[in-house]
Amino acid sequence: MSATKAARMGEEVWKTRIDKVNAELVTLTYGSIVAQLCKDYEGDYLEVNKQLDKMGYNIGLRLIEDYLAKTAPQRCVNFRETAEMIARVGFKIFLNITPTVANWTSDNKQFSLVFEENPLGDFVELPDDGRAQNELWYSNLLCGVLRGALEMVQMQVDAHFVSDTLRGNETTEMRVSLVRYIDDELPQSED
Amino acid sequence: MILSLLILNKAGGLVYHRDFSNTFTKLSSNDYLVLAGTFHGVHAITARLSPFGPSSGGTPSSGLEVMESEHFRMQCFQTLTGTKFLLFTEPQQPNVDVILRRIYELYADYVMKNPFYQIEMPIRCEAFDRHLMAYIKPKQ
C-alpha cells in the first residue's frame, strides 16, 4: 500500500471508527505512571525505561487486535510498507499523530520514526537532578507497544529512542530495527 | 440462522465455543477440542496447497476459508495474528464475512482489552458473551 493510501486509510478510520478521549486525560495519566515509577524505583531511570517498555509490550500484544479489527488491512508485503502503516495508520488512529518515517538503512531493515508532536510529552519537564536528562526515555512505553504489536504479526523488532526533545534534543526520534520474521505457524519443511 | 461460533488460538486450541441454536446435535466438549485441533491441522495443510505460494513469488495462501454442505456452511476467518474464528451457519445465511468481522471487533474490544484476560487462554469474559448475543440474536 502506498504512503498516501495508508494516510487516507488512517484518516478515515480515525474519523469514523475511533472513540475519542480527552487528550489531557491521556497525558496526565501517562505522566502519573512515569512519575510513580520514578518514585518506586527511587530514581533508577534505566529500570524505569525497562518497566515502561514492558508495560508497552503488554499493551501492544492486545492493541494489535484492535488495529487489525478496525482497519482490516492487507498483510504488508515488506518492512517499508509496515513502517508506513505504523506511522500513518497505527499512530494516527490511536494518538492522532503521524510521525515521519526517515533514515532507512540500505538493507531496508531499520528506520526512524521522527515525532514532530508527542501527546505523551505535553506539559512535561524532566526532573532537574542531572541524571533524568541523560537516562530517562520518557515515552519509552511507545517502544514496547511497537515491539509487542509487531511480534503478534510475526515480526521481531528492536525499538528504542535515540533522541527526545524533552532531553533538549532537537527532535524526538525512535529507531526501529527488524530482527527477523517469526515463522512459528508452520513447522520446518522437510525438503 | 447462525448456528455456532468457535474461536481457536494460534496453537489450534479451542478458547471459545458458543451455540446459538438448539436445532442440531451437540458433541461432547472433548470432541469440540478434537474438532478444533483437527481443523487447525487441516487449515495448515490447505494453506500450503496453493500453487501460487511464496516460493513462486505469490503471497501466502490464507488456507481453507469456506466449507459448504447441504445442511450447514462453515466459514473460517483467520486474523493476521493467527487467531481463527469459525462460524457455522445455515447454507443460505447472507453476509457471513461481515458477521465475522464484527465478531472480531467485539473480540478486540471485550476480550483483548480486558486486562484480566490472559492471552491465548480460554475466554471467560461475560461482557463478550453479552455483546455477542446482542449482536447475533436479532439476526436469527
Side-chain angles (χ1 to χ4, degrees), chain B residues 69-86:
Chain B
S69 79
E70 265 173 59
H71 305 290
F72 74 93
R73 171 192 160 98
M74 185 206 73
Q75 185 146 340
C76 170
F77 169 65
Q78 184 179 30
T79 71
L80 293 178
T81 55
T83 305
K84 292 186 192 72
F85 292 79
L86 293 186

Side-chain angles (χ1 to χ4, degrees), chain A residues 17 58 61-66 68-77 149 151-154 184-189, chain B residues 10 40 43-44 48 59-60 78-84 101 104-105 107-109 111-119:
Chain A
R17 321 218 35 207
N58 287 321
L61 295 180
R62 292 163 182 268
L63 201 62
I64 183 70
E65 302 284 7
D66 194 47
L68 295 173
K70 290 222 167 78
T71 63
Q74 299 287 314
R75 189 181 285 277
C76 293
V77 294
E151 185 180 300
M152 290 295 275
V153 284
Q154 299 92 42
D184 61 357
E185 206 202 9
L186 303 172
Q188 289 293 314
S189 74
Chain B
K10 267 190 286 209
H40 184 72
H43 187 275
R48 306 204 85 187
T59 47
Q78 184 179 30
T79 71
L80 293 178
T81 55
T83 305
K84 292 186 192 72
R101 285 230 66 100
Y104 184 31
E105 282 178 38
Y107 168 85
D109 277 349
V111 178
M112 293 308 281
K113 286 184 198 166
N114 174 359
F116 297 105
Y117 169 69
Q118 286 186 330
I119 294 174

Side-chain angles (χ1 to χ4, degrees), chain B residues 71-139:
Chain B
H71 305 290
F72 74 93
R73 171 192 160 98
M74 185 206 73
Q75 185 146 340
C76 170
F77 169 65
Q78 184 179 30
T79 71
L80 293 178
T81 55
T83 305
K84 292 186 192 72
F85 292 79
L86 293 186
L87 197 65
F88 294 83
T89 65
E90 287 186 331
Q92 62 275 18
Q93 175 70 38
N95 297 327
V96 177
D97 42 351
V98 178
I99 297 172
L100 277 164
R101 285 230 66 100
R102 180 66 195 144
I103 293 174
Y104 184 31
E105 282 178 38
L106 293 174
Y107 168 85
D109 277 349
Y110 297 104
V111 178
M112 293 308 281
K113 286 184 198 166
N114 174 359
F116 297 105
Y117 169 69
Q118 286 186 330
I119 294 174
E120 300 288 300
M121 296 304 279
I123 297 165
R124 291 193 198 88
C125 302
E126 201 251 327
F128 178 61
D129 289 336
R130 214 171 46 235
H131 285 87
L132 182 65
M133 281 317 213
Y135 174 65
I136 298 286
K137 260 223 178 102
K139 299 187 177 301

Side-chain angles (χ1 to χ4, degrees), chain B residues 3-6 17-22 24 26 32 133:
Chain B
L3 302 173
S4 194
L5 171 72
L6 270 62
H17 168 220
R18 176 130 314 225
D19 295 326
F20 305 104
S21 156
N22 297 316
F24 55 95
K26 307 264 190 300
Y32 279 106
M133 281 317 213

Side-chain angles (χ1 to χ4, degrees), chain B residues 54-68:
Chain B
S55 51
S56 59
T59 47
S61 164
S62 62
L64 175 59
E65 282 179 2
V66 184
M67 190 169 81
E68 266 183 317

